[in-house]
Amino acid sequence: MTREHWGSKLGFILAAAGSAVGLGNVWKFPYLVGQNGGAVFVITYLVLALTIGAALILAELALGRAAQKDPVGTFANLRGGAWSLAGYLGVLSGFLVLTFYSVIGGWTLAYVVKMVDGSLMETGLDLTGTFNGFVSNSVEPLIYHALFMLMTVLVVLRGIGSGIERCNKFLMPALFLILVFLAVRAVTLDGAAAGVDFYLRPDFSKFSGDTLVAALSQAFFSLSIGLGILITYGSYLDRSQNIQRSTLWIIVLDTGVGIFAGLIIMPAVFAFGIEPGAGPGLTFITLPGIFQQITGGVLFGTAFFVLLLFAALTSSVSLLEVPVAYLMDELQLSRKTAVLVLGGVAFLIGIPSSLSFGVMSDMTLFGMGFMDLLDYLTTKLMIPAGGMAVCIFAGWIVWPRMQTEVSNDGTLAFPLSTIWGWVLKVVAPASIAMIMVYGFLH
Ligand code: PFF
């Protein structure tokens, strides 16, 4: 069977950016900026994304394109031996993240529905109680988790060109439009200026080791590095694409969406006198409160949760594609079988994650509920370990092959080759080791 390829350069970039732009950008990036000194955090984040982030994105794309295989096949083909384990690590982490990402994706879907049917707009509604009541329920979030997984499955079933690429070509531009629409509304609210000021004015006294670690872990998660997604997406590319340029685009689009999301959230939060460091509850509790108070709130609120839903869907699609590519390439399963089996199992494993906010909340291990545990295991351990494997493999084991790959066999100039080598070989592994140790200690 010939391998499927992306239909166009733009389609590939939108799909890769679609994977990167997700809940992490809209929900987490703005409050990290708020808590870590505003512009200081944005600048730190940008520097890390453009150095370590870029080095890893480029390495993953080059590895996948060189091997034309899923992550397991990529490591096995290019070197083999114990290195194949790094591929398995990627496939497994992608799959595990999918199981709980879909639960949260389900929440966003539920909030779209609740916005449209007006149930979030009743005056005097206790929004904290509403949110906690919803997530701790045993049935309702599971229905939305099932629906969200079903949407993911339907896209991935149709394959690369007519499934993943087509859905991103529609959802990503729609997402950009909604983002601009909401940002214009937010910055023109009375009292918004203080929010913009707080969000972007640098406060150097807030810069610390913690800032650096927070920015680096966020860069990994947000750019979808370390679990073989970009290896997989790169394997559907041919040599006509300039992957140096694609790397830059992925970073610019991902960071741009994060910054814009903050320009929606912070001015609104300030205009309504809410504590900006509110953290995780901001999206599902604070924002609906604001939508209740502005004219046209239903419209803006719905637009916001649709934005979040699109962002989540384009990411979950990429998460499912990694293990699907593995089953297709290595075990010769058909796409249909692979997608249905993996989607079904991921749904089942997601059930205890969802219930860990309700009936299973007392069942903890190391003090964490099921979803927190999976989140910890993947984002703090498996993803950094996967990133480490990619740097060492690309930087030390198959380095000459990487250079021919990135320069399209020497036909493309690659002025940053030496710097890339240093970052991959030394700077990135050292920084990853640092976030892993830090993750253990906290
Ligand atoms: N990058 C996505 C986000 O910021 O929400 C999440 C994600 C998607 C992480 C895919 C990892 C991944 F492989």
Side-chain angles (χ1 to χ4, degrees), residues 23 90-106 145 148-153 156 221 227 229 312-324 338-351 353 371 374-375 378 383:
L23 296 168
V91 171
L92 185 64
S93 7
F95 181 70
L96 289 180
V97 172
L98 173 66
T99 65
F100 65 87
Y101 205 79
S102 166
V103 173
I104 304 178
H145 163 48
F148 185 84
M149 189 65 86
L150 185 69
M151 288 157 80
T152 308
V153 159
V156 180
F221 190 77
L227 27 63
I229 291 202
L313 191 60
T314 51
S315 298
S316 67
V317 158
S318 72
L319 287 164
L320 179 56
E321 179 60 23
V322 178
V324 164
V339 172
L340 293 178
V341 169
L342 288 166
V345 178
F347 167 72
L348 293 177
I349 302 180
I351 293 176
S353 274
M371 188 191 280
L374 274 188
D375 180 26
T378 48
I383 293 181

Side-chain angles (χ1 to χ4, degrees), residues 427-442:
V427 180
S431 315
I432 295 169
M434 183 182 86
I435 52 171
M436 287 181 82
V437 170
Y438 187 92
F440 267 125
L441 300 179
H442 283 72

Side-chain angles (χ1 to χ4, degrees), residues 203-262:
D203 175 358
F204 290 98
S205 69
K206 291 242 179 83
F207 186 84
S208 68
D210 285 5
T211 316
L212 212 57
V213 173
L216 193 59
S217 344
Q218 171 68 6
F220 261 70
F221 190 77
S222 184
L223 293 168
S224 300
I225 301 169
L227 27 63
I229 291 202
L230 295 164
I231 295 183
T232 310
Y233 274 18
S235 77
Y236 303 121
L237 277 177
D238 56 39
R239 288 272 174 88
S240 66
Q241 185 107 344
N242 178 343
I243 52 178
Q244 303 170 40
R245 203 174 294 154
S246 320
T247 299
L248 196 61
W249 269 113
I250 297 170
I251 296 176
V252 167
L253 291 175
D254 186 63
T255 311
V257 171
I259 293 177
F260 250 89

